[in-house]
Amino acid sequence: MAHRAITTELVPISGLTTAHRAAWRGMRAENPTLASPYFALEFADLIADRRPDAQALVLTRKGRTVGFLPMQLSSLGVARPLGGPLGDHHALITEDDGLDLGAALQNSPVSVFCFHGALVSQPTFAAEASQIEPSWTVDLSQGCDQWLEGRRLADAKAMRNIRARQRKLAESGLEVTYRFDDRRPEALAASFANKREQYRRTNAFDVFIAKWARELINDLFEHQTPQLSGCLSTLEINGQLAAAHFGIRSESVLHYWFPVYWPEYSRFGPGLQLFIEMAREMTTTGIDSIHLGPGDMDFKRKLANASFDIAGGRIERPSMAASLIAAGASMDAFARKLPIGRVSHWPGKALRRLDTLAAAYGI
């Protein structure tokens, strides 16, 4: 399939050739904006082991592979970022950020590409964005102490509160144990049981509702390479878990993913204390950036000292699937204009929940 000298081929992740794999790794190595572990070929491979709809749109120009768009493609031709509700960041894997994905999709099997968390530094996503927001980061390139001092200057009260809780724990006489890379399967299981309970307690969507998502976490925990590793960090008080975090790391980036704490230890602020210990340890392991992801959350504003923009939107060609999605968006926009208070947001919330469920189950 050709368009403006770009040809496209939809290939299952498991069907990528040796040449494709070498090209993917080479492009990622040459493009510093793709340092996140989300963009490692191994992340795509692990998802493909659990989801048969894991695909890559391979973009070729004059016989040379110039990009890959990893995705999950439904039977209706609706594509979504790889990883469904577990995917915070998404991008074209390419050396050429100026590639026109919209033009390439016009002659592909993809009817609609609904994206979120896409890098605005790639103009093809910026041009089609309906929403742009910052994704927060902690820049540790100057060291942990320099980051902490910068946060103190930016928000002295917040850092005083953190230090007060550190002193409170240190003076409590309790035994405190930090593990940056906790390899105990039972600690992982306890952390995610607590996380799912938190989802139930707060009425948040449980991203582990689908079996493949639970299996992926265990796969990542076992996977340990420089390009992609699952990393469980824990804080124990008197031998009991007080806080934990499971994330994924690449050569230089840790993606902050699933933090959790046990409420009975909340007086010590265990989650923040664990985060600071993690940051201190990371500077000795080659990690110079922690990606916190998007969201207007208090702890992200307090901890972040940098950000990059990500986009949500859709790229489409005329099709039944595109018409249905556009109709849903129009209904949401119409409802928001009605003078009916909070009820005006219900259609949009329902549509977003359905889309999340579709992403989780590959509908």
Side-chain angles (χ1 to χ4, degrees):
M1 301 176 186
H3 189 88
R4 297 183 182 177
I6 294 282
T7 62
T8 62
E9 180 185 9
L10 195 62
V11 179
I13 297 293
S14 59
L16 292 172
T17 67
T18 301
H20 286 148
R21 292 173 173 275
W24 184 313
R25 292 190 176 101
M27 291 172 188
R28 180 171 175 264
E30 292 297 319
N31 190 339
T33 66
L34 301 178
S36 167
Y38 271 123
F39 306 133
L41 176 58
E42 295 170 12
F43 183 72
D45 282 335
L46 289 178
I47 292 179
D49 287 343
R50 299 299 179 184
R51 291 196 55 147
D53 60 348
Q55 309 271 334
L57 190 70
V58 182
L59 281 64
T60 305
R61 180 190 289 129
K62 296 181 179 179
R64 177 176 177 270
T65 301
V66 293
F68 300 89
L69 181 67
M71 64 174 67
Q72 292 166 190
L73 184 64
S74 76
S75 58
L76 297 176
V78 178
R80 295 180 177 89
L82 199 64
L86 300 184
D88 286 347
H89 293 149
H90 194 65
L92 270 169
I93 308 301
T94 182
E95 296 174 6
D96 180 6
D97 284 340
L99 284 177
D100 186 348
L101 179 60
L105 287 176
Q106 292 305 309
N107 291 290
S108 79
V110 178
S111 299
V112 186
F113 181 58
C114 299
F115 61 88
H116 64 268
L119 301 184
V120 170
S121 59
Q122 296 186 333
T124 193
F125 294 119
E128 303 294 342
S130 58
Q131 177 187 3
I132 293 177
E133 60 182 328
S135 187
W136 306 102
T137 68
V138 173
D139 180 357
L140 293 171
S141 60
Q142 302 303 310
C144 184
D145 290 339
Q146 187 70 17
W147 162 64
L148 287 171
E149 176 62 13
R151 293 299 83 210
R152 184 190 69 79
L153 294 174
D155 192 338
K157 181 179 178 181
M159 295 309 296
R160 279 198 304 271
N161 289 338
I162 291 173
R163 288 196 298 271
R165 291 186 175 190
Q166 287 176 319
R167 287 194 300 270
K168 186 175 184 178
L169 181 57
E171 294 168 359
S172 68
L174 301 171
E175 181 184 356
V176 180
T177 303
Y178 292 101
R179 292 182 175 90
F180 172 65
D181 189 13
D182 193 335
R183 304 308 306 161
R184 298 175 298 168
E186 64 272 21
L188 181 73
S191 300
F192 277 91
N194 193 356
K195 190 68 180 177
R196 298 194 73 187
E197 174 56 32
Q198 176 189 319
Y199 288 145
R200 286 190 288 270
R201 189 173 64 248
T202 60
N203 199 33
F205 180 79
D206 183 353
V207 297
F208 302 107
I209 191 172
K211 182 182 178 183
W212 72 267
R214 301 191 297 273
E215 293 173 336
L216 178 65
I217 294 300
N218 289 315
D219 293 343
L220 287 164
F221 181 67
E222 296 295 333
H223 192 87
Q224 300 288 306
T225 69
Q227 295 76 29
L228 177 69
S229 294
C231 183
L232 175 69
S233 301
T234 57
L235 184 163
E236 288 183 348
I237 297 177
N238 280 357
Q240 300 297 314
L241 286 169
H245 167 264
F246 183 78
I248 48 177
R249 61 163 293 178
S250 63
E251 301 92 332
S252 60
V253 172
L254 178 103
H255 189 85
Y256 193 74
W257 217 7
F258 296 109
V260 67
Y261 73 93
W262 278 254
E264 57 265 37
Y265 298 106
S266 60
R267 66 189 183 279
F268 297 122
L272 285 172
Q273 297 214 40
L274 176 60
F275 186 93
I276 291 172
E277 290 300 318
M278 287 167 53
R280 197 174 300 282
E281 180 69 21
M282 280 178 221
T283 58
T284 71
T285 64
I287 299 291
D288 59 21
S289 183
I290 305 173
H291 289 182
L292 301 177
D296 187 25
M297 300 175 188
D298 188 60
F299 86 93
K300 293 185 180 183
R301 292 195 304 272
K302 284 183 169 61
L303 297 175
N305 59 353
S307 67
F308 56 91
D309 285 340
I310 57 174
R314 65 181 187 269
I315 303 172
E316 60 193 25
R317 59 181 176 80
S319 65
M320 179 66 73
S323 298
L324 289 172
I325 291 172
S330 297
M331 181 177 67
D332 177 31
F334 175 74
R336 286 173 180 270
K337 295 177 182 178
L338 295 176
I340 51 178
R342 294 174 59 186
V343 177
S344 66
H345 294 276
W346 288 0
K349 288 182 179 179
L351 288 168
R352 286 188 291 275
R353 194 168 187 88
L354 284 172
D355 186 68
T356 303
L357 283 167
Y361 286 109
I363 301 170

